[in-house]
Amino acid sequence: MKKVTEIAAELARPFVAAAGCTLWDVEYVREAGTWFLRIYIDHPDGVTIEQCEAVSRPLSDALDEADPIEGSYTLEVSSAGADRALKKPEHFAQYLGTEVEVRLYRPRDGAKVFHGPLTGYENGDVTLSVGGQEMRFQKKEIALTRLYIEF
């Protein structure tokens, strides 16, 4: 049986493409007692509110018709964001050489957050160049990897 996120992704893809965007990720999460189905889209020039709306309205109808989710939930369609999370192998491939942030579950060398250029990705393990040294983080120790935005 397919997961809710897989079904939602299949239903969303044609609407995302029609809006001139690509599907970045789909999440189905519970927060503060409410379920959220989040569709993250991407566009090289940034995502507009009109593109989010162009996906949200027909996708909402398609989800109502297919009815893959038991109970109530809130549908959200938004940009993946400038500090987007990298989750899939294709995300890491797209951003090789780009500055990323890795957050760990437990400290390593006294720190839980590292950032530097992404130099490798293999089977969930992430390698960064930190202070001129290569650091490899195993999948099991990584809480989050995302694009690093310096303010």
Side-chain angles (χ1 to χ4, degrees):
M1 187 168 170
K2 290 185 181 178
K3 293 197 271 183
V4 167
T5 53
E6 293 170 342
I7 295 167
E10 287 175 8
L11 290 170
R13 276 192 185 89
F15 304 119
V16 172
C21 298
T22 56
L23 182 64
W24 181 262
D25 196 20
V26 177
E27 291 180 339
Y28 184 59
V29 295
R30 186 177 182 145
E31 295 175 359
T34 302
W35 283 97
F36 292 89
L37 178 61
R38 294 191 175 120
I39 310 295
Y40 295 102
I41 61 177
D42 194 25
H43 188 277
D45 298 328
V47 175
T48 66
I49 191 74
E50 290 80 13
Q51 288 168 315
C52 291
E53 187 178 348
V55 173
S56 181
R57 290 182 188 271
L59 177 57
S60 179
D61 293 342
L63 285 164
D64 286 347
E65 187 176 314
D67 200 22
I69 300 172
E70 244 182 70
S72 63
Y73 62 94
T74 300
L75 173 65
E76 295 179 349
V77 177
S78 69
S79 164
D83 63 345
R84 67 194 57 198
L86 306 180
K87 298 179 180 180
K88 302 173 184 175
E90 56 266 27
H91 296 165
F92 289 92
Q94 180 177 346
Y95 287 101
L96 271 174
T98 302
E99 190 97 356
V100 300
E101 174 182 284
V102 172
R103 292 184 174 264
L104 304 178
Y105 291 111
R106 294 191 179 100
R108 182 197 279 190
D109 301 327
K112 288 177 75 173
V113 179
F114 297 86
H115 68 85
L118 175 64
T119 58
Y121 177 81
E122 185 178 344
N123 298 322
D125 294 353
V126 175
T127 306
L128 305 182
S129 177
V130 179
Q133 286 190 302
E134 294 285 307
M135 290 188 76
R136 185 179 181 111
F137 302 93
Q138 293 181 339
K139 180 180 181 175
K140 67 182 179 185
E141 63 183 329
I142 299 172
L144 173 71
T145 304
R146 67 180 177 188
L147 294 183
Y148 179 75
I149 306 297
E150 193 168 354
F151 296 98

